[in-house]
Amino acid sequence: MPKSRTSRLSRRGLIAAGGALGLVAALTACGGSDSAKGGAGDKDKGAAASGPWTFKDDLGKDISLKAKPKNIVAFTGTAAALYDYGIQVKGVFGPTKTADGKPDVQAGSMDISKVEILGNVYDEFNVEKYASLQPELLVTNTWDGTYWYVPEASKDKILKLAPAAAVGVGGDVSMDKALERTADLAKSLGADMNANSAANGKARFDAAAAKVREATKANPGIKVLVGSGSADLFYASSPDTSADLKYFKSLGVEFVTPDKLGEGNFFESLSWENAGKYKADLILLDNRTGTLQPEELKAKPTWAEMPAVKAGQVAPRVTEPIYSYDKCAKILEDLAKAVQGAKKVS
């Protein structure tokens, strides 16, 4: 998966810090009374006011609770998507707050002062604090069949405390499918998908997708390289293993595909001496906290020599989108402008 370079690169080899943690015993997996507004007969207002709650996640797991969960903990980006649909979580894990105390890009529109932050970087997850929230459901994404941002070292302890639901955002999944599944989850949790905000977001997304198609047709042949920078390496991403890039490709975006992909086929790792291996007209650069941004990359001579960089044709890539229609519509609108305005320079 595309990773923040301070986190996921050594994902399979990292060992989470911390020893034995005392866990709150006898936590229940069922919630109390349903507080969602609206009649149970409205088919688009999510789960019924009472009765069991079920959901089949993208790992193929059937999750069943005695009642719709209220105490929800989620990966920050997933929590931000649920927030856009009116679902508030109690706790989050993943990039939430920057060093200066401001919301991380992955927090979206959430008020981060109203959620318990269990971990702010990869491999950080306070299990004791999680247990104290009396979680009824954990929600995250999945890129490769694992629970994103749930540390391997403490995974078993975490998953014993509450059922987990994962929404697919990698592999064969495209952005439109990830959006549909996130909306399905939100609806099951009580979101009103007929609300103006939800309906307007979907309409905006569809219009933005049409703009990208128009841009690729109006300005054909623009080659797009997707990359991410760290102190020692430049990562050239494949367009075939992430939900966003797969969808952009289906809209007509012409990507540069690296030919020596590493584990998971997500990207090729290039030393900065070889960072100019692939020529492109437009670069989409990882915008996440922990990756080098254009100002910082000015110190890298090979970056400065890339044709797209010389031409000023570098745009941010939201590497881990917030999968609500409104947030993804903005991504498509920005992509359409970048493609439309790019000139052939490679």
Side-chain angles (χ1 to χ4, degrees):
M1 112 115 232
K3 31 215 174 279
S4 176
R5 306 308 163 196
T6 59
S7 61
R8 170 108 176 22
L9 261 185
S10 56
R11 153 173 194 162
R12 299 186 186 280
L14 285 176
I15 299 176
L21 298 175
L23 303 179
V24 174
L27 291 179
T28 60
C30 59
S33 60
D34 192 340
S35 61
K37 296 180 180 179
D42 188 335
K43 64 183 177 65
D44 285 326
K45 288 193 177 181
S50 61
W53 179 86
T54 61
F55 185 79
K56 183 164 186 165
D57 80 348
D58 292 340
L59 293 178
K61 293 191 175 183
D62 290 300
I63 303 162
S64 181
L65 301 175
K66 293 180 180 178
K68 184 170 60 183
K70 293 191 299 181
N71 292 354
I72 303 168
V73 172
F75 167 66
T76 302
T78 315
L82 292 176
Y83 180 87
D84 285 352
Y85 292 123
I87 305 299
Q88 176 71 53
V89 305
K90 290 192 69 174
V92 296
F93 55 96
T96 307
K97 184 166 59 175
T98 60
D100 59 3
K102 295 179 180 178
D104 188 273
V105 292
Q106 293 191 59
S109 302
M110 279 195 304
D111 181 347
I112 63 173
S113 70
K114 294 183 178 180
V115 292
E116 190 75 51
I117 300 173
L118 305 177
N120 200 50
V121 297
Y122 189 80
D123 232 29
E124 179 181 88
F125 193 116
N126 190 319
V127 186
E128 290 179 314
K129 189 181 289 186
Y130 175 58
S132 73
L133 295 177
Q134 298 187 354
E136 296 166 311
L137 181 69
L138 182 145
V139 181
T140 186
N141 293 334
T142 182
W143 294 84
D144 55 5
T146 61
Y147 294 105
W148 185 229
Y149 264 78
V150 174
E152 187 66 27
S154 53
K155 177 184 67 176
D156 291 343
K157 295 175 183 177
I158 293 166
L159 297 181
K160 282 179 181 178
L161 291 171
V167 176
V169 297
D172 294 332
V173 177
S174 185
M175 175 180 268
D176 52 344
K177 182 62 176 178
L179 282 163
E180 178 185 324
R181 291 293 291 145
T182 304
D184 286 344
L185 176 61
K187 178 182 172 182
S188 79
L189 294 170
D192 182 356
M193 305 312 289
N194 281 334
N196 286 339
S197 57
N200 291 343
K202 180 62 165 65
R204 182 185 177 190
F205 177 83
D206 291 341
K211 289 178 182 178
V212 176
R213 288 192 186 94
E214 293 166 4
T216 59
K217 290 177 180 177
N219 196 12
I222 296 299
K223 299 295 183 183
V224 180
L225 175 65
V226 181
S228 183
S230 72
D232 300 320
L233 297 169
F234 179 74
Y235 303 90
S237 296
S238 167
D240 299 319
T241 47
S242 298
D244 60 332
L245 303 184
K246 285 174 70 70
Y247 188 63
F248 300 166
K249 193 173 180 179
S250 76
L251 298 178
V253 177
E254 297 182 43
F255 286 104
V256 175
T257 302
D259 54 25
K260 293 184 179 179
L261 299 174
E263 179 187 358
N265 293 323
F266 286 110
F267 54 82
E268 178 176 351
S269 302
L270 299 168
S271 66
W272 278 110
E273 289 78 8
N274 297 310
K277 176 179 178 180
Y278 300 107
K279 300 297 186 288
D281 306 300
L282 172 65
I283 296 175
L284 299 182
L285 184 68
D286 190 341
N287 77 329
R288 288 175 298 172
T289 304
T291 66
L292 299 184
Q293 299 306 304
E295 279 298 313
E296 299 165 300
L297 288 171
K298 286 180 179 179
K300 306 290 186 184
T302 46
W303 168 262
E305 289 301 313
M306 291 182 184
V309 177
K310 282 184 173 182
Q313 295 178 174
V314 178
R317 179 204 175 190
V318 181
T319 307
E320 293 186 55
I322 293 169
Y323 282 102
S324 69
Y325 284 106
D326 191 64
K327 292 293 190 297
C328 286
K330 177 66 165 62
I331 292 172
L332 293 181
E333 290 163 356
D334 291 343
L335 177 63
K337 290 177 183 177
V339 171
Q340 183 71 63
K343 297 179 180 178
K344 286 290 295 180
V345 293
S346 61

Coordinates of all heavy atoms in Angstrom, one line a residue, residues 232-310:
D232 N 15.9 9.5 1.7 CA 16.9 8.7 0.9 C 16.3 8.2 -0.4 O 17.1 7.8 -1.2 CB 17.3 7.5 1.8 CG 18.0 8.0 3.1 OD1 18.8 8.9 3.0 OD2 17.8 7.3 4.1
L233 N 15.0 8.1 -0.5 CA 14.4 7.4 -1.7 C 13.3 8.2 -2.3 O 12.6 8.9 -1.6 CB 13.9 6.0 -1.3 CG 15.0 5.0 -0.8 CD1 14.3 3.8 -0.2 CD2 15.9 4.6 -1.9
F234 N 13.1 7.9 -3.6 CA 11.9 8.4 -4.3 C 11.1 7.2 -4.7 O 11.6 6.2 -5.2 CB 12.2 9.2 -5.5 CG 11.0 9.7 -6.3 CD1 10.3 10.8 -5.8 CD2 10.7 9.1 -7.5 CE1 9.2 11.2 -6.5 CE2 9.6 9.6 -8.2 CZ 8.8 10.6 -7.7
Y235 N 9.8 7.2 -4.3 CA 9.0 6.0 -4.6 C 8.0 6.3 -5.8 O 7.2 7.2 -5.7 CB 8.1 5.7 -3.4 CG 9.0 5.4 -2.1 CD1 9.3 6.4 -1.3 CD2 9.5 4.1 -1.9 CE1 10.1 6.2 -0.2 CE2 10.3 3.9 -0.8 CZ 10.6 5.0 0.1 OH 11.4 4.7 1.2
A236 N 8.2 5.6 -6.9 CA 7.3 5.7 -8.0 C 6.2 4.7 -7.9 O 6.5 3.5 -7.9 CB 8.1 5.5 -9.3
S237 N 5.0 5.1 -7.8 CA 3.8 4.3 -7.6 C 3.2 3.6 -8.8 O 3.2 4.2 -9.9 CB 2.8 5.0 -6.8 OG 3.2 5.5 -5.6
S238 N 2.7 2.4 -8.6 CA 2.0 1.7 -9.7 C 0.5 2.3 -9.7 O 0.0 2.5 -8.6 CB 1.9 0.2 -9.4 OG 0.9 -0.4 -10.2
P239 N -0.1 2.5 -10.8 CA -1.5 2.9 -10.9 C -2.5 1.8 -10.8 O -3.7 2.0 -10.9 CB -1.5 3.5 -12.3 CG -0.6 2.7 -13.1 CD 0.6 2.4 -12.2
D240 N -2.0 0.6 -10.5 CA -2.8 -0.6 -10.6 C -3.2 -1.3 -9.3 O -3.9 -2.3 -9.3 CB -2.2 -1.7 -11.5 CG -2.0 -1.2 -12.9 OD1 -2.9 -0.5 -13.5 OD2 -0.9 -1.4 -13.5
T241 N -2.7 -0.7 -8.2 CA -2.9 -1.4 -6.9 C -3.6 -0.5 -5.8 O -3.7 -1.0 -4.7 CB -1.6 -1.9 -6.3 OG1 -0.6 -0.9 -6.4 CG2 -1.1 -3.2 -7.1
S242 N -3.9 0.7 -6.2 CA -4.6 1.6 -5.2 C -5.9 2.0 -5.8 O -6.0 2.3 -7.0 CB -3.7 2.8 -4.9 OG -2.5 2.4 -4.3
A243 N -7.0 2.1 -4.9 CA -8.3 2.4 -5.4 C -8.4 3.7 -6.2 O -9.1 3.8 -7.2 CB -9.3 2.4 -4.2
D244 N -7.7 4.7 -5.7 CA -7.8 6.0 -6.4 C -7.2 6.0 -7.8 O -7.9 6.4 -8.8 CB -7.2 7.2 -5.5 CG -5.7 6.9 -5.2 OD1 -5.3 5.8 -5.2 OD2 -5.0 7.9 -5.0
L245 N -6.0 5.5 -7.9 CA -5.3 5.5 -9.2 C -6.0 4.6 -10.2 O -6.1 4.9 -11.4 CB -3.9 5.1 -9.0 CG -3.1 6.0 -8.0 CD1 -1.6 5.5 -8.0 CD2 -3.2 7.4 -8.4
K246 N -6.5 3.4 -9.7 CA -7.3 2.6 -10.6 C -8.5 3.3 -11.2 O -8.8 3.2 -12.4 CB -7.8 1.3 -9.9 CG -6.7 0.3 -9.6 CD -7.2 -0.8 -8.7 CE -8.1 -1.7 -9.5 NZ -7.5 -2.5 -10.5
Y247 N -9.1 4.1 -10.4 CA -10.3 4.8 -10.9 C -9.9 5.9 -11.8 O -10.5 6.1 -12.9 CB -11.1 5.4 -9.7 CG -12.4 6.0 -10.1 CD1 -13.4 5.2 -10.7 CD2 -12.6 7.4 -9.9 CE1 -14.6 5.8 -11.0 CE2 -13.9 7.9 -10.3 CZ -14.8 7.1 -10.9 OH -16.0 7.7 -11.2
F248 N -8.8 6.6 -11.5 CA -8.3 7.7 -12.4 C -8.0 7.1 -13.8 O -8.3 7.7 -14.8 CB -7.1 8.4 -11.8 CG -7.3 9.0 -10.5 CD1 -6.1 9.4 -9.8 CD2 -8.5 9.3 -10.0 CE1 -6.2 10.0 -8.5 CE2 -8.6 9.9 -8.7 CZ -7.5 10.2 -8.0
K249 N -7.4 5.9 -13.8 CA -7.0 5.3 -15.0 C -8.3 4.9 -15.8 O -8.3 5.1 -17.1 CB -6.2 4.0 -14.7 CG -5.5 3.4 -15.9 CD -4.6 2.2 -15.4 CE -3.9 1.6 -16.6 NZ -3.0 0.5 -16.1
S250 N -9.3 4.5 -15.2 CA -10.6 4.2 -15.9 C -11.2 5.4 -16.5 O -12.0 5.3 -17.4 CB -11.6 3.5 -14.9 OG -12.2 4.5 -14.0
L251 N -10.9 6.6 -16.0 CA -11.4 7.9 -16.5 C -10.5 8.4 -17.6 O -10.8 9.5 -18.2 CB -11.5 8.9 -15.4 CG -12.4 8.6 -14.2 CD1 -12.4 9.7 -13.1 CD2 -13.9 8.4 -14.7
G252 N -9.5 7.7 -18.0 CA -8.6 8.1 -19.1 C -7.3 8.7 -18.8 O -6.5 9.0 -19.7
V253 N -6.9 8.8 -17.5 CA -5.6 9.3 -17.1 C -4.5 8.3 -17.6 O -4.6 7.1 -17.3 CB -5.5 9.6 -15.6 CG1 -4.1 10.0 -15.2 CG2 -6.6 10.6 -15.2
E254 N -3.5 8.8 -18.2 CA -2.4 8.0 -18.7 C -1.2 8.0 -17.7 O -0.6 9.1 -17.6 CB -2.0 8.5 -20.1 CG -3.1 8.4 -21.2 CD -2.6 8.8 -22.5 OE1 -1.5 8.5 -22.9 OE2 -3.3 9.6 -23.2
F255 N -1.0 6.9 -17.1 CA 0.0 6.9 -16.0 C 1.3 6.3 -16.6 O 1.3 5.4 -17.5 CB -0.4 6.0 -14.9 CG -1.5 6.7 -14.0 CD1 -2.8 6.3 -14.1 CD2 -1.1 7.7 -13.1 CE1 -3.8 6.9 -13.3 CE2 -2.0 8.3 -12.3 CZ -3.4 7.9 -12.4
V256 N 2.4 6.7 -15.9 CA 3.7 6.0 -16.1 C 3.7 4.8 -15.1 O 3.5 5.0 -13.9 CB 4.9 7.0 -15.8 CG1 6.2 6.2 -15.8 CG2 4.9 8.1 -16.7
T257 N 4.0 3.6 -15.6 CA 4.0 2.4 -14.7 C 5.4 2.0 -14.5 O 6.1 1.6 -15.4 CB 3.1 1.3 -15.3 OG1 1.8 1.7 -15.6 CG2 3.1 0.1 -14.4
P258 N 5.9 2.0 -13.3 CA 7.2 1.5 -12.9 C 7.4 0.0 -13.3 O 6.4 -0.7 -13.2 CB 7.3 1.7 -11.4 CG 6.3 2.7 -11.1 CD 5.2 2.5 -12.1
D259 N 8.6 -0.3 -13.7 CA 8.8 -1.7 -14.2 C 9.4 -2.6 -13.2 O 9.6 -3.8 -13.5 CB 9.5 -1.7 -15.5 CG 10.9 -1.0 -15.4 OD1 11.4 -0.9 -14.3 OD2 11.3 -0.5 -16.5
K260 N 9.8 -2.1 -12.0 CA 10.5 -3.0 -11.0 C 9.8 -2.8 -9.7 O 10.4 -2.2 -8.7 CB 12.0 -2.7 -10.9 CG 12.7 -3.1 -12.2 CD 14.2 -2.9 -12.0 CE 15.0 -3.3 -13.3 NZ 16.4 -3.1 -13.2
L261 N 8.6 -3.2 -9.6 CA 7.8 -3.0 -8.3 C 8.2 -3.9 -7.2 O 8.6 -5.1 -7.5 CB 6.3 -3.2 -8.6 CG 5.7 -2.3 -9.7 CD1 4.3 -2.7 -10.0 CD2 5.7 -0.8 -9.2
G262 N 8.2 -3.4 -6.0 CA 8.6 -4.2 -4.8 C 7.4 -5.0 -4.2 O 6.4 -5.2 -4.9
E263 N 7.5 -5.3 -2.9 CA 6.5 -6.0 -2.2 C 5.1 -5.4 -2.4 O 4.9 -4.3 -2.2 CB 6.9 -6.1 -0.7 CG 5.9 -6.9 0.1 CD 6.2 -6.8 1.6 OE1 7.2 -6.2 1.9 OE2 5.4 -7.4 2.4
G264 N 4.2 -6.3 -2.8 CA 2.8 -5.8 -2.9 C 2.5 -5.1 -4.3 O 1.4 -4.8 -4.5
N265 N 3.6 -4.9 -5.1 CA 3.4 -4.2 -6.4 C 2.9 -2.8 -6.2 O 2.2 -2.3 -7.1 CB 2.5 -5.0 -7.3 CG 3.2 -6.4 -7.7 OD1 4.4 -6.4 -7.9 ND2 2.4 -7.4 -7.8
F266 N 3.2 -2.2 -5.1 CA 2.7 -0.8 -4.9 C 3.6 0.3 -5.5 O 3.1 1.3 -6.0 CB 2.5 -0.5 -3.4 CG 1.3 -1.2 -2.8 CD1 1.4 -2.2 -1.9 CD2 0.0 -0.8 -3.1 CE1 0.3 -2.9 -1.4 CE2 -1.1 -1.4 -2.6 CZ -0.9 -2.5 -1.7
F267 N 4.9 0.1 -5.5 CA 5.8 1.1 -5.9 C 7.2 0.5 -6.2 O 7.5 -0.6 -5.8 CB 5.9 2.3 -4.9 CG 6.3 1.8 -3.5 CD1 7.6 1.5 -3.2 CD2 5.4 1.6 -2.6 CE1 8.0 1.1 -2.0 CE2 5.7 1.2 -1.3 CZ 7.0 0.9 -1.0
E268 N 8.0 1.3 -6.9 CA 9.4 1.0 -7.1 C 10.2 2.0 -6.3 O 9.9 3.2 -6.4 CB 9.8 1.2 -8.6 CG 11.3 0.9 -8.9 CD 11.6 0.9 -10.4 OE1 10.7 1.0 -11.2 OE2 12.8 0.9 -10.7
S269 N 11.2 1.5 -5.5 CA 12.0 2.4 -4.7 C 13.2 2.8 -5.5 O 14.0 1.9 -6.0 CB 12.5 1.6 -3.5 OG 11.3 1.2 -2.7
L270 N 13.4 4.1 -5.7 CA 14.5 4.6 -6.4 C 15.4 5.5 -5.5 O 14.9 6.3 -4.8 CB 14.0 5.5 -7.6 CG 13.1 4.8 -8.6 CD1 12.5 5.8 -9.5 CD2 13.9 3.8 -9.5
S271 N 16.7 5.3 -5.7 CA 17.6 6.2 -5.0 C 17.5 7.6 -5.6 O 17.0 7.7 -6.8 CB 19.1 5.7 -5.1 OG 19.5 5.8 -6.5
W272 N 17.9 8.6 -4.9 CA 17.7 9.9 -5.5 C 18.6 10.1 -6.7 O 18.3 10.9 -7.6 CB 18.0 11.0 -4.4 CG 16.7 11.2 -3.6 CD1 16.6 10.9 -2.3 CD2 15.5 11.8 -4.0 NE1 15.3 11.2 -1.9 CE2 14.6 11.8 -2.9 CE3 15.1 12.4 -5.2 CZ2 13.3 12.3 -3.0 CZ3 13.8 12.9 -5.3 CH2 12.9 12.9 -4.2
E273 N 19.7 9.4 -6.8 CA 20.5 9.5 -8.0 C 19.8 9.0 -9.2 O 20.0 9.4 -10.3 CB 21.8 8.6 -7.8 CG 22.8 9.2 -6.8 CD 22.4 8.9 -5.4 OE1 21.5 8.2 -5.1 OE2 23.1 9.5 -4.5
N274 N 18.8 8.1 -9.0 CA 18.0 7.5 -10.1 C 16.6 8.0 -10.1 O 15.8 7.4 -10.8 CB 18.1 6.0 -10.0 CG 19.5 5.4 -10.1 OD1 20.2 5.8 -11.1 ND2 19.9 4.5 -9.2
A275 N 16.3 9.0 -9.4 CA 14.9 9.4 -9.3 C 14.3 9.9 -10.6 O 13.1 9.9 -10.8 CB 14.8 10.6 -8.2
G276 N 15.1 10.3 -11.5 CA 14.7 10.8 -12.8 C 14.5 9.7 -13.8 O 14.3 9.9 -15.0
K277 N 14.4 8.4 -13.4 CA 14.3 7.3 -14.3 C 13.1 7.4 -15.2 O 13.2 7.0 -16.4 CB 14.3 6.0 -13.5 CG 14.0 4.7 -14.3 CD 14.0 3.5 -13.4 CE 13.7 2.2 -14.2 NZ 13.7 1.0 -13.3
Y278 N 12.0 7.8 -14.7 CA 10.7 7.9 -15.5 C 10.4 9.3 -15.8 O 10.3 10.2 -14.9 CB 9.6 7.2 -14.7 CG 9.9 5.8 -14.4 CD1 10.2 5.3 -13.1 CD2 9.9 4.8 -15.4 CE1 10.4 4.0 -12.8 CE2 10.1 3.5 -15.1 CZ 10.4 3.1 -13.8 OH 10.7 1.7 -13.5
K279 N 10.2 9.6 -17.1 CA 9.8 10.9 -17.5 C 8.3 11.1 -17.6 O 7.6 10.1 -17.9 CB 10.4 11.2 -18.9 CG 11.9 11.0 -19.0 CD 12.6 12.1 -18.1 CE 14.1 12.1 -18.3 NZ 14.8 10.9 -17.7
A280 N 7.9 12.2 -17.1 CA 6.4 12.5 -17.1 C 6.1 13.9 -17.3 O 7.0 14.8 -17.2 CB 5.9 12.0 -15.7
D281 N 4.9 14.2 -17.7 CA 4.5 15.6 -17.9 C 3.8 16.2 -16.7 O 3.8 17.4 -16.5 CB 3.4 15.6 -19.1 CG 3.9 15.0 -20.3 OD1 5.0 15.4 -20.9 OD2 3.3 14.0 -20.8
L282 N 3.3 15.3 -15.8 CA 2.7 15.8 -14.6 C 3.0 14.8 -13.5 O 3.0 13.6 -13.7 CB 1.2 15.8 -14.8 CG 0.3 16.0 -13.6 CD1 0.5 17.4 -13.0 CD2 -1.2 15.9 -13.9
I283 N 3.4 15.3 -12.3 CA 3.7 14.5 -11.2 C 2.6 14.7 -10.1 O 2.3 15.8 -9.7 CB 5.1 14.8 -10.6 CG1 6.2 14.4 -11.6 CG2 5.3 14.0 -9.3 CD1 7.6 14.8 -11.1
L284 N 2.1 13.6 -9.6 CA 1.2 13.7 -8.5 C 2.0 13.2 -7.2 O 2.4 12.1 -7.2 CB 0.0 12.7 -8.6 CG -1.0 13.0 -9.8 CD1 -2.1 12.1 -9.8 CD2 -1.5 14.5 -9.8
L285 N 2.2 14.2 -6.3 CA 3.1 13.9 -5.2 C 2.3 13.7 -3.9 O 1.5 14.5 -3.5 CB 4.0 15.1 -5.0 CG 5.1 15.0 -4.0 CD1 6.2 14.0 -4.3 CD2 5.8 16.4 -3.7
D286 N 2.7 12.6 -3.2 CA 2.1 12.2 -1.9 C 2.0 13.4 -1.0 O 3.0 14.1 -0.7 CB 3.0 11.1 -1.3 CG 2.4 10.4 -0.1 OD1 1.5 11.0 0.5 OD2 2.9 9.3 0.2
N287 N 0.8 13.7 -0.5 CA 0.7 14.9 0.4 C 0.6 14.6 1.8 O 0.4 15.4 2.7 CB -0.7 15.6 0.0 CG -1.9 14.9 0.6 OD1 -1.9 13.6 0.7 ND2 -3.0 15.6 0.8
R288 N 0.9 13.3 2.2 CA 0.8 13.0 3.7 C 1.9 13.5 4.6 O 3.0 13.7 4.1 CB 0.7 11.4 3.8 CG -0.6 10.8 3.3 CD -0.5 9.3 3.3 NE 0.6 8.8 2.5 CZ 0.9 7.5 2.4 NH1 0.3 6.6 3.2 NH2 1.9 7.1 1.7
T289 N 1.5 13.7 5.8 CA 2.5 14.1 6.8 C 3.5 13.0 6.9 O 3.2 11.8 6.9 CB 1.8 14.2 8.2 OG1 0.7 15.1 8.1 CG2 2.8 14.6 9.3
G290 N 4.8 13.3 6.9 CA 5.9 12.4 7.0 C 6.5 12.1 5.6 O 7.5 11.4 5.6
T291 N 6.0 12.7 4.6 CA 6.6 12.6 3.3 C 7.1 14.0 2.9 O 6.6 15.0 3.3 CB 5.6 12.1 2.2 OG1 4.6 13.1 2.0 CG2 5.0 10.8 2.6
L292 N 8.1 14.1 2.0 CA 8.7 15.3 1.6 C 7.8 16.0 0.6 O 7.3 15.4 -0.3 CB 10.1 15.1 1.0 CG 11.2 14.5 1.9 CD1 12.5 14.4 1.2 CD2 11.3 15.2 3.3
Q293 N 7.6 17.3 0.9 CA 6.8 18.2 0.0 C 7.7 19.0 -0.9 O 8.9 19.1 -0.8 CB 5.9 19.0 0.8 CG 5.0 18.2 1.7 CD 4.1 17.2 0.9 OE1 3.4 17.6 0.0 NE2 4.2 15.9 1.3
P294 N 7.1 19.7 -1.9 CA 7.9 20.4 -3.0 C 9.0 21.3 -2.4 O 10.1 21.3 -2.9 CB 6.9 21.1 -3.8 CG 5.7 20.3 -3.7 CD 5.7 19.7 -2.3
E295 N 8.7 22.0 -1.3 CA 9.7 23.0 -0.8 C 10.9 22.2 -0.3 O 12.1 22.6 -0.5 CB 9.1 23.8 0.3 CG 8.3 25.0 -0.2 CD 9.2 26.0 -0.9 OE1 10.3 26.3 -0.5 OE2 8.7 26.4 -2.0
E296 N 10.7 21.1 0.4 CA 11.7 20.3 0.9 C 12.5 19.5 -0.2 O 13.7 19.3 -0.1 CB 11.2 19.2 1.9 CG 10.4 19.9 3.1 CD 9.6 18.9 3.8 OE1 8.7 18.3 3.2 OE2 9.8 18.7 5.1
L297 N 11.8 19.2 -1.2 CA 12.4 18.5 -2.3 C 13.4 19.3 -3.2 O 14.1 18.8 -4.0 CB 11.4 17.8 -3.2 CG 10.6 16.6 -2.6 CD1 9.5 16.2 -3.4 CD2 11.6 15.5 -2.4
K298 N 13.3 20.6 -3.0 CA 14.2 21.5 -3.8 C 15.6 21.2 -3.6 O 16.5 21.5 -4.4 CB 13.9 23.0 -3.4 CG 12.6 23.5 -4.0 CD 12.4 25.0 -3.6 CE 11.1 25.5 -4.2 NZ 10.9 27.0 -3.8
A299 N 15.9 20.6 -2.4 CA 17.3 20.3 -2.1 C 17.8 19.1 -2.8 O 19.0 18.7 -2.8 CB 17.5 20.1 -0.6
K300 N 16.9 18.3 -3.5 CA 17.3 17.2 -4.3 C 17.5 17.5 -5.7 O 16.6 17.8 -6.5 CB 16.2 16.1 -4.2 CG 15.8 15.7 -2.8 CD 16.9 14.9 -2.0 CE 16.4 14.5 -0.7 NZ 17.5 13.8 0.1
P301 N 18.8 17.5 -6.2 CA 19.1 17.9 -7.6 C 18.3 17.2 -8.6 O 17.8 17.7 -9.6 CB 20.6 17.7 -7.7 CG 21.1 17.8 -6.3 CD 20.0 17.2 -5.5
T302 N 18.2 15.9 -8.5 CA 17.5 15.1 -9.5 C 16.0 15.4 -9.5 O 15.4 15.3 -10.6 CB 17.6 13.6 -9.2 OG1 17.4 13.3 -7.8 CG2 19.0 13.1 -9.6
W303 N 15.4 15.8 -8.4 CA 14.0 16.2 -8.4 C 13.9 17.5 -9.2 O 13.0 17.6 -10.1 CB 13.5 16.5 -7.0 CG 12.2 17.2 -6.9 CD1 12.0 18.5 -6.6 CD2 10.9 16.6 -7.0 NE1 10.7 18.8 -6.6 CE2 10.0 17.7 -6.8 CE3 10.4 15.3 -7.3 CZ2 8.6 17.4 -6.9 CZ3 9.1 15.1 -7.3 CH2 8.2 16.2 -7.2
A304 N 14.8 18.4 -9.0 CA 14.7 19.7 -9.7 C 14.9 19.6 -11.2 O 14.4 20.4 -11.9 CB 15.8 20.7 -9.1
E305 N 15.5 18.5 -11.6 CA 15.8 18.3 -13.0 C 14.7 17.6 -13.8 O 14.7 17.5 -15.0 CB 17.1 17.6 -13.2 CG 18.3 18.4 -12.9 CD 18.4 19.7 -13.7 OE1 18.3 19.6 -15.0 OE2 18.6 20.7 -13.2
M306 N 13.7 17.1 -13.0 CA 12.6 16.3 -13.7 C 11.8 17.3 -14.6 O 11.5 18.4 -14.1 CB 11.7 15.7 -12.6 CG 12.3 14.6 -11.9 SD 11.1 13.8 -10.7 CE 12.1 12.6 -9.9
P307 N 11.5 16.9 -15.8 CA 10.8 17.8 -16.7 C 9.5 18.4 -16.1 O 9.2 19.6 -16.3 CB 10.5 16.9 -17.9 CG 11.5 15.9 -17.9 CD 11.8 15.6 -16.5
A308 N 8.7 17.6 -15.5 CA 7.5 18.1 -14.9 C 7.7 19.1 -13.8 O 7.0 20.1 -13.6 CB 6.6 16.9 -14.3
V309 N 8.8 18.9 -13.0 CA 9.1 19.8 -11.9 C 9.6 21.2 -12.5 O 9.2 22.2 -12.1 CB 10.2 19.2 -11.0 CG1 10.6 20.2 -9.9 CG2 9.7 17.9 -10.3
K310 N 10.4 21.1 -13.5 CA 10.9 22.3 -14.2 C 9.7 23.1 -14.8 O 9.8 24.4 -14.7 CB 11.9 21.9 -15.4 CG 13.3 21.6 -14.9 CD 14.1 21.3 -16.2 CE 15.6 21.1 -15.8 NZ 16.4 20.9 -17.0

